[in-house]
Amino acid sequence: EAGVAQSPRYKIIEKRQSVAFWCNPISGHATLYWYQQILGQGPKLLIQFQNNGVVDDSQLPKDRFSAERLKGVDSTLKIQPAKLEDSAVYLCASSLGVRVMNTEAFFGQGTRLTVV
Amino acid sequence: GESVGLHLPTLSVQEGDNSIINCAYSNSASDYFIWYKQESGKGPQFIIDIRSNMDKRQGQRVTVLLNKTVKHLSLQIAATQPGDSAVYFCAARNYGQNFVFGPGTRLSVLP
């Protein structure tokens, strides 16, 4: 079974530039998550999709971050404009569904973003 | 909401010894818990899970204990090996909601 695919693996941009990350979840997984993981910390949820609808985006800085999952499959996360404090690893994860018991989230390898 | 914390940010153990990593959560409505292992440069990887109607679950060399009275979770690794060196996260979930992760414990296995 193919895992969660993310690209790119690494990205270096200057502050105030824009950047986009792409994620393809495991086939059949209805729920997709984007997490931000700052160095030395646990992953923090940015946004959660159930199919192509947003379930939770309460911690997404909406003035600069946006995400979409138009066809309920793959997803993109965008930052515009980037700030130095956005430097982190951006993890995508997917699961069968939030209302399914005993279903863990499977993670991709992440995109390491460095803002200089 | 939920918050998850760990008792120790780092833990060093001798190869062959048992490791115990602890985690505390705040929301008594959390019904599902997962331990993840994250190696350098990789995403978190599932180790073991436990539902709130259980207090113990065992896997291969790993055991998770859940104490709902004090909202405490622990991961025990038997006969720790060099390949166990990683950062370990506990995550808690309320039914129908998302996972909240703790800050992680870095486990170092000494030869």
Side-chain angles (χ1 to χ4, degrees):
Chain A
E1 176 184 83
V4 176
Q6 288 189 248
S7 67
R9 285 295 314 277
Y10 306 93
K11 191 73 177 179
I12 302 174
I13 61 171
E14 294 182 349
K15 59 184 178 183
R16 292 187 288 275
Q17 285 187 323
S18 63
V19 64
F21 312 127
W22 174 82
C23 172
N24 190 25
I26 293 173
S27 178
H29 280 195
T31 303
L32 185 147
Y33 311 82
W34 282 103
Y35 285 87
Q36 180 193 58
Q37 186 175 25
I38 293 172
L39 185 65
Q41 299 181 16
K44 184 189 84 171
L45 181 73
L46 292 175
I47 190 167
Q48 176 185 339
F49 293 94
Q50 179 77 2
N51 296 309
N52 61 351
V54 175
V55 174
D56 184 352
D57 64 356
S58 57
Q59 298 189 89
L60 187 74
K62 298 181 186 64
D63 58 333
R64 299 184 300 106
F65 286 64
S66 65
E68 60 183 15
R69 193 184 184 199
L70 293 176
K71 296 183 179 179
V73 182
D74 57 352
S75 174
T76 55
L77 175 69
K78 297 179 182 178
I79 307 175
Q80 181 179 12
K83 293 185 176 181
L84 295 177
E85 59 260 36
D86 298 332
S87 294
V89 175
Y90 291 84
L91 294 163
C92 179
S94 69
S95 67
L96 283 170
V98 290
R99 300 194 183 279
V100 178
M101 285 302 295
N102 296 9
T103 173
E104 75 266 28
F106 293 84
F107 285 82
Q109 288 192 301
T111 295
R112 181 176 297 278
L113 174 67
T114 302
V115 183
V116 297
Chain B
E2 171 70 276
S3 67
V4 179
L6 285 165
H7 294 216
L8 286 175
T10 61
L11 177 65
S12 295
V13 298
Q14 291 291 138
E15 182 178 353
D17 287 352
N18 297 335
S19 303
I20 299 176
I21 301 172
N22 296 303
C23 179
Y25 62 98
S26 65
N27 193 336
S28 56
S30 294
D31 66 345
Y32 183 46
F33 305 87
I34 299 177
W35 280 100
Y36 283 92
K37 173 186 181 182
Q38 187 174 28
E39 296 175 287
S40 180
K42 297 183 179 180
Q45 180 184 15
F46 172 89
I47 302 173
I48 191 167
D49 60 357
I50 189 166
R51 294 173 58 180
S52 58
N53 62 352
M54 304 169 67
D55 52 23
K56 180 179 180 178
R57 190 155 190 235
Q58 288 184 294
Q60 187 176 11
R61 284 200 307 117
V62 294
T63 300
V64 56
L65 299 178
L66 175 63
N67 185 330
K68 293 180 289 296
T69 302
V70 295
K71 296 197 281 289
H72 181 271
L73 194 69
S74 70
L75 176 70
Q76 300 178 2
I77 305 174
T80 312
Q81 302 170 359
D84 295 327
S85 293
V87 179
Y88 290 81
F89 295 97
C90 63
R93 190 193 76 174
N94 296 344
Y95 184 69
Q97 298 183 23
N98 62 73
F99 292 98
V100 177
F101 284 76
T105 290
R106 179 173 297 278
L107 176 65
S108 299
V109 181
L110 307 174

